[in-house]
C-alpha cells in the first residue's frame, strides 16, 4: 500500500477552504447518498453524508466540487425566488 504524506483531515480543510472561497455552502448531515450538489436560492450548496469516513468525505466533496466547476449550468435551482 501507499500512504499519502498528508492526512485526510488536512485535505478536507483545504477543500472546505475552496468551498468558502467559491461561496459554496457546505453542509454535513444525514443523507441517503454520499453527497449532493444543488443551488438553493442561487447559492451553490454541497451536502455530504455525516456517516462517511474521512477518506470517503474527501472523495464525495471532490466529486461534488466537480459538478460546481465542470457543470455549473446543469444544476437545478431549488427554492428559486419568484
Amino acid at each position: 500500500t501507499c500512504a499519502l504524506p498528508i492526512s485526510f483531515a488536512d485535505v478536507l480543510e483545504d477543500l472546505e477552504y475552496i468551498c468558502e472561497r467559491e461561496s459554496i455552502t457546505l453542509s454535513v448531515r444525514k443523507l441517503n447518498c454520499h453527497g449532493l450538489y444543488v443551488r438553493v436560492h442561487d447559492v451553490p450548496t454541497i451536502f455530504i453524508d455525516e456517516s462517511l469516513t474521512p477518506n470517503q468525505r474527501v472523495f464525495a466533496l471532490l466529486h461534488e466540487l466537480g459538478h460546481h466547476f465542470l457543470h455549473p449550468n446543469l444544476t437545478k435551482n431549488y427554492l428559486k425566488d419568484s
Side-chain angles (χ1 to χ4, degrees), residues 12 15-16 19-20 24-28 44-48 61:
L12 277 171
L15 294 174
E16 289 169 357
C19 288
E20 183 180 319
I24 300 169
T25 299
L26 178 60
S27 178
V28 178
T45 304
I46 293 176
F47 295 97
I48 299 294
L61 189 47

Side-chain angles (χ1 to χ4, degrees), residues 2-80:
C2 177
L4 292 175
I6 57 174
S7 70
F8 282 109
D10 290 337
V11 175
L12 277 171
E13 187 176 310
D14 290 342
L15 294 174
E16 289 169 357
Y17 171 76
I18 291 169
C19 288
E20 183 180 319
R21 188 190 71 205
E22 293 293 318
S23 299
I24 300 169
T25 299
L26 178 60
S27 178
V28 178
R29 60 177 59 198
K30 185 169 177 52
L31 299 174
N32 61 358
C33 60
H34 285 154
L36 181 67
Y37 175 77
V38 295
R39 296 182 82 75
V40 179
H41 296 292
D42 279 329
V43 176
T45 304
I46 293 176
F47 295 97
I48 299 294
D49 183 48
E50 66 187 11
S51 69
L52 298 179
T53 64
N55 59 335
Q56 289 173 319
R57 284 188 188 195
V58 166
F59 180 85
L61 189 47
L62 282 169
H63 178 89
E64 301 311 328
L65 282 169
H67 290 295
H68 176 76
F69 289 112
L70 299 175
H71 312 291
N73 298 321
L74 297 179
T75 303
K76 185 173 182 178
N77 186 22
Y78 290 88
L79 304 175
K80 186 174 181 179

